[in-house]
Structures are given as structure tokens and as C-alpha cells.
């Protein structure tokens, strides 16, 4: 395995995070010479690394002695069929988001490199995941979060797992800039998705999804787009799956942003002629990001899959969240950009929406938006119950 800059092609050893030219690094290796039947047979194994939906695909993830893998295990999430559509629920990961798939690889690598401390900037899910895996690996965890701007469930998790929380006065983009500089200067291993090892783990969302579908590629895979790590990982996973002969055609990617945090959408609308940056604002705090780090990789992913980028308003994504919740599935607001995007773009065919985070990640937004006749305070008397049931809903 080597790390190579996608801009200037300079190569690095496996401890590097970013190229000196400022470009993003990507893992380069020869295509895994594994038939997909090997992955299928591991689904029946009781071994922990086979039960992990990441390490089941280990030949395409990271070359490491199996005994050194730090896994919860993670992945192995469900694929739900509802209303003629498919929903891959990454909120079913151990810490309630897809981040665990990248984090198991990044923390395994951190320990291999002998790191003492790991850090990230986060809108909340990466920080919860980092904190959990760092606790498992006995590493010091430091997270940089935008003060007052992350959902309650995520902050609570991050504290519970024991990470030091630095609440940065500013937004996510400020926290990202700060952690990049701090990790470089202070010798802390950075595990944001700018770290190419994170991307290697997140590819398995796609591989597991293809496996769920018995390797019959869908027409569309729809993903929320924030810092653009997932969009990048999905593109890489699809190309590698095709090159390895696991699938015979590429699905199209649809990356969906919130209207108030839509720099990638703006660039797409310009034919990717230039990179946009915005001051981000959206109810979907997970993707409240104005200057996404993995921009260059995500552009390549959209181009390679004949993909598209869409945007939805907060009202549209909250309406979609309501519908996903009422299907009995549930997700956090950012995840619902997928269904909202399918509707807005009028996508048709076989569609998979990737739900990225669990419904309990953001309890405040649910309670705040519940209609007043759904949550009613009453005296402890049957007559009060009777009165409500006669009038309400
Ligand atoms: N959905 C959820 C629930 C997220 O937490 C994130 C990103 C995204 C979608 C967007 O994914 O960044 O790969 O485009 N959350 C990061 C975090 C930024 O810090 O937890 P992306």
C-alpha cells in the first residue's frame, strides 16, 4: 500500500495525512485478487473480523495482521425495503453512524503507528465514533467541535466515551482548520476523513450494500453530502468493485446537500468550473459545512459514476425525515436529504438511500417539531384521558 497525492502524484509512507502541495492523499494498491464468493462465505462465519461489515472485506481495506485489528465489530447494517425504495441504515453501527466504518481502520492504523493521541474536528458523529474507538484502544482522544452547534445525542456520547471536548468558538470549518494545524504542530494523529485510511473503511458501505443485493448493482445510490468523505469513498468503492469484477456495471451516485450548506451543489451547477465556499446554516447540523475538505475526490467520484449533486431545503429534508421516521425506520435530519433529494430530482429505477445517522442522535429537533396535539400534559385521572381521546388525532 502507498499513499499518493491525487493532485501531484507524489508518494508517501502510510503515516502521512496530506501532501505538501496541499492535495489529498489516496490509498493506492493493486486490486484485491479476491472473488466475491469469499466475502459471501464469511457472512456465515462466527469470527469477529468476519462479522464486521468492514473487515469482512479486509483484502480491499487494509493489509494488517488480523490480531492487530481494532473492531467493535461494526457494519453489517440492515437494508430495508419500503415504498419501492431501499434504505441502507448506517445508523445501526455501534455508535449510531457510518463513521464507525472509517474509524475502525483509522484507529487500527493509529495504534500500528504508535500514536499516543488521536484528534478530529466534527459536527458530532465523527467525534462520538473517535471517542468510542479510542476508548477501546486506550488512546487519548481530543475532539474539536463547533461550540453550541452539535446535536445533544452526539455530545453526550462523546463525553461518555471519555474524549476531551474542545468547543471551538466558530463553525465546523474553523474547527477543521484548527485541528489540521494543531495535529501537524503537536504530533497528534488526525482521523478526520482527510485521512485516506478513513475512506478505505467507508468504502465497505458500498461493498456490503452490493453484497446485500447479491451483487446486482442498483440504478442510483443516494448519499448526504457534507465534508464529502462518503461521496469520495463511494466513488472509489464502485470503481474498485467494477475493476475487481464484483459488479458488471456502475450505479450512478446522487450526492445531496442542504440548501444552506451547498458549496458542492454550486460547483456542480457550474460544471465543476470552480470550488465554492459558503457560510453554512441548516437544521441538519451534521452537514453544516461550508468548505468541504474532500472536494477534489468527490468531484472525481461524481464524474466517474455519471453522478449528480442536488440540494434540498430544510423544510424538504424535515418532511422526508418525518416520512422515514413514520416508516418505523427513523434517522437524523442529515440522512433524510437522501429521500428529499430523490423526490426533488425525480429519480426513478432501483434506488438505494444511505441513511447515515440514528434517529436518537438529534432528539431536540424531534421534540421541537412534534405537533402540540401529539404531546399533551394531563392530570392523573381517567376522565382526562377520555377527554383527550375524544378530541385529539
Ligand atoms: N450524515 C451524517 C449523519 C454525518 O454525520 C455526516 C458528516 C454526513 C452525513 C456527511 O458525510 O462529511 O462524508 O460528506 N459528519 C461529519 C462529522 C462531518 O463530523 O460527524 P460527509
Amino acid at each position: 500500500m502507498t499513499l499518493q497525492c491525487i493532485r501531484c502524484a507524489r508518494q508517501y509512507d502510510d503515516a502521512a495525512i496530506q501532501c505538501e502541495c496541499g492535495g489529498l492523499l489516496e490509498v493506492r494498491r493493486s486490486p484485491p485478487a479476491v472473488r466475491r464468493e469469499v466475502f459471501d462465505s464469511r457472512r456465515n462465519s462466527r469470527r469477529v473480523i468476519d462479522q464486521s461489515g468492514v473487515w469482512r472485506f479486509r483484502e480491499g481495506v487494509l493489509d494488517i495482521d488480523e490480531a492487530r485489528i481494532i473492531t467493535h465489530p461494526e457494519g453489517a447494517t440492515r437494508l430495508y425495503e419500503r415504498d419501492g425504495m431501499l434504505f441502507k441504515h448506517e445508523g445501526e453501527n455501534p455508535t449510531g453512524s457510518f463513521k464507525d466504518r472509517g474509524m475502525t481502520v483509522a484507529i487500527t492504523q493509529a495504534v500500528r503507528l504508535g500514536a499516543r493521541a488521536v484528534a478530529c474536528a466534527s459536527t458530532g458523529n465523527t467525534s462520538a465514533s473517535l471517542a468510542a474507538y479510542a476508548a477501546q484502544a486506550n488512546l487519548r482522544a481530543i475532539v474539536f467541535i463547533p461550540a453550541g452547534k452539535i446535536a445533544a445525542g452526539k455530545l453526550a456520547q462523546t463525553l461518555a466515551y471519555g474524549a476531551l471536548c474542545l468547543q471551538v468558538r466558530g463553525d465546523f470549518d474553523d474547527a477543521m482548520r484548527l485541528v489540521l494545524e494543531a495535529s501537524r504542530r503537536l504530533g497528534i494523529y488526525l482521523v478526520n476523513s482527510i485521512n485516506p485510511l478513513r475512506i478505505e473503511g467507508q468504502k465497505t458501505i458500498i461493498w456490503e450494500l452490493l453484497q446485500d443485493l447479491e451483487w446486482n448493482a442498483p440504478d442510483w445510490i443516494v448519499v448526504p453530502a457534507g465534508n464529502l468523505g462518503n461521496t469520495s469513498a463511494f466513488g472509489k468503492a464502485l470503481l474498485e468493485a467494477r475493476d475487481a469484477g464484483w459488479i458488471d456495471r456502475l450505479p450512478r451516485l446522487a450526492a445531496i446537500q442542504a440548501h444552506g450548506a451547498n458549496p458542492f451543489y454550486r460547483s456542480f451547477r457550474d460544471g465543476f468550473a470552480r470550488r465554492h465556499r459558503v457560510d453554512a446554516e441548516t437544521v441538519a447540523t451534521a452537514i453544516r459545512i461550508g468548505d468541504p475538505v474532500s472536494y477534489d475526490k468527490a468531484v472525481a467520484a461524481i464524474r466517474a459514476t455519471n453522478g449528480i449533486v442536488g440540494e434540498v431545503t430544510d423544510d424538504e429534508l424535515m418532511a422526508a425525515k418525518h416520512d422515514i421516521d413514520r416508516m418505523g425506520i427513523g434517522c437524523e435530519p442529515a440522512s433524510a436529504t437522501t429521500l428529499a433529494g430523490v423526490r426533488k430530482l425525480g429519480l426513478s429505477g432501483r434506488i438505494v438511500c444511505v441513511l447515515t445517522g440514528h434517529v436518537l442522535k438529534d432528539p431536540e429537533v424531534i421534540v421541537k417539531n412534534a405537533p402540540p396535539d401529539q404531546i399533551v400534559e394531563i392530570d392523573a385521572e381517567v376522565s382526562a384521558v377520555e377527554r383527550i381521546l375524544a378530541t385529539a388525532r
Side-chain angles (χ1 to χ4, degrees), residues 98-99 121-126 224-230 286-287 289 332 334 356-357:
F98 70 94
K99 305 288 181 181
S122 182
T123 55
N125 280 326
T126 305
N227 214 17
L228 301 178
N230 245 2
I287 51 173
I289 295 170
E332 67 165 283
T356 44

Side-chain angles (χ1 to χ4, degrees), residues 4-222:
Q4 185 170 18
C5 176
I6 65 165
R7 199 187 284 168
C8 75
R10 196 171 152 182
Q11 297 202 340
Y12 290 84
D13 71 19
D14 66 356
I17 300 291
Q18 207 178 357
C19 182
E20 275 168 23
C21 82
L24 298 168
L25 299 181
E26 180 172 77
V27 172
R28 288 287 168 89
R29 71 160 77 73
S30 37
V34 183
R35 292 182 315 123
R36 63 191 196 199
E37 288 78 9
V38 173
F39 305 139
D40 293 344
S41 71
R42 287 177 184 160
R43 276 204 143 158
N44 300 319
S45 157
R46 301 303 303 164
R47 295 183 67 209
V48 171
I49 58 163
D50 291 338
Q51 286 184 8
S52 163
V54 173
W55 299 103
R56 190 192 311 145
F57 303 98
R58 50 193 169 272
E59 290 84 354
V61 173
L62 184 69
D63 186 15
I64 189 166
D65 180 359
E66 290 177 11
R68 300 178 72 186
I69 291 173
I70 299 189
T71 174
H72 259 61
E74 50 291 305
T77 58
R78 271 165 288 231
L79 182 68
Y80 297 99
E81 183 157 8
R82 297 284 189 278
D83 298 345
M85 239 183 308
L86 293 158
F87 296 90
K88 179 75 170 162
H89 206 333
E90 288 298 302
E92 295 179 348
N93 271 288
T95 75
S97 86
F98 70 94
K99 305 288 181 181
D100 295 340
R101 290 193 187 250
M103 204 54 73
T104 179
V105 183
I107 297 296
T108 294
Q109 177 75 348
V111 172
R112 166 153 86 176
L113 295 172
R116 306 290 278 285
V118 286
C120 71
S122 182
T123 55
N125 280 326
T126 305
S127 59
S129 184
L130 176 151
Y133 281 83
Q136 187 180 354
N138 241 328
L139 291 173
R140 181 164 193 211
I142 306 151
V143 306
F144 294 64
I145 51 180
K149 294 293 184 189
I150 78 170
K154 303 174 187 181
L155 180 60
Q157 279 184 296
T158 308
L159 292 168
Y161 297 130
L164 171 64
C165 293
L166 303 178
Q167 306 209 63
V168 180
R169 292 186 202 103
D171 60 15
F172 170 82
D173 302 293
D174 296 318
M176 188 70 229
R177 274 189 294 275
L178 181 60
V179 79
L180 270 168
E181 192 181 341
S183 58
R184 209 163 29 227
R185 287 227 210 141
L186 306 176
I188 301 167
Y189 190 61
L190 184 65
V191 297
N192 272 104
S193 56
I194 194 173
N195 182 322
L197 277 296
R198 278 274 312 276
I199 303 294
E200 294 303 289
Q202 285 171 212
K203 290 187 312 194
T204 65
I205 300 171
I206 294 295
W207 293 346
E208 187 176 274
L209 162 62
L210 294 169
Q211 185 176 39
D212 292 337
L213 296 173
E214 295 175 324
W215 306 100
N216 296 309
D219 297 304
W220 288 99
I221 297 174
V222 191

